[in-house]
Amino acid sequence: MKLRNARYLSHDFIDSLLQEGDIAVDATAGNGHDTLYLAQKVGERGHVYAFDVQQAALDSTKERLAENGIPDERVTLILSGHERMADYVKEPVRCVLFNLGGLPSGDHSVTTRVPTTLAAARITGGVENCTVCRPIRLPFTGSPSAIVSPFFSI
């Protein structure tokens, strides 16, 4: 049996729930892989909000979306921490995806922090119609906190 990595496991989970026309949030845009995936899943009638604290991440995401033919109006790129999600997203959300860590090619002193991520995850618990249990992927760092199921609810 071949084990699949957390990215593919979270996509399998989201594939079963997210539909065209839904609203989704990529809480950690990074290089845009998950933003692209979500934008393709929600289709022309849906929308994705993508958050990151690094402009370089949003620039990379914008480029990836353009290269794959995703129109600008389908995705809102937000230079802000995901803990401020409620300030920007005012409509019912079907899925919030977190991919924790830092931007591989970015400033390694800027990374996801536990307090802001917990605040964001708690916010998603109160997001109207957010029926997905917030798939969260953690890079293994050797710390006990990194050994968490990719699908947990707070």
Side-chain angles (χ1 to χ4, degrees):
M1 177 174 128
K2 182 180 179 191
L3 293 177
R4 297 182 69 195
N5 71 28
R7 176 180 177 197
Y8 294 108
L9 289 173
S10 65
H11 287 193
D12 287 347
F13 180 71
I14 293 168
D15 283 346
S16 70
L17 297 168
L18 197 60
Q19 300 172 12
E20 181 160 343
D22 283 339
I23 306 300
V25 173
D26 183 353
T28 52
N31 284 316
H33 296 282
D34 287 328
T35 306
L36 173 62
Y37 163 73
L38 292 171
Q40 290 169 331
K41 288 296 295 176
V42 302
E44 293 178 9
R45 296 181 297 122
H47 195 79
V48 175
Y49 294 89
F51 290 82
D52 211 290
V53 295
Q54 294 187 61
Q55 185 62 52
L58 297 179
D59 293 345
S60 178
T61 298
K62 184 174 179 67
E63 185 177 328
R64 183 171 310 283
L65 295 170
E67 288 171 355
N68 286 276
I70 302 297
D72 288 346
E73 58 272 6
R74 192 178 311 170
V75 178
T76 301
L77 300 175
I78 302 165
L79 181 62
S80 181
H82 48 238
E83 72 279 10
R84 298 201 47 226
M85 194 180 315
D87 295 341
Y88 295 92
V89 182
K90 304 296 184 188
E91 55 213 307
V93 172
R94 179 76 168 157
C95 173
V96 179
L97 178 61
F98 296 79
N99 187 359
L100 305 179
L103 183 63
S105 60
D107 179 352
H108 293 283
S109 69
V110 179
T111 187
T112 311
R113 304 279 184 228
V114 170
T116 59
T117 300
L118 288 175
R122 286 185 184 105
I123 289 167
T124 66
V127 172
E128 183 182 353
N129 297 331
C130 187
T131 56
V132 174
C133 69
R134 299 173 302 281
I136 297 179
R137 295 196 308 263
L138 298 166
F140 181 73
T141 62
S143 69
S145 64
I147 305 169
V148 178
S149 167
F151 314 114
F152 74 88
S153 279
I154 293 181

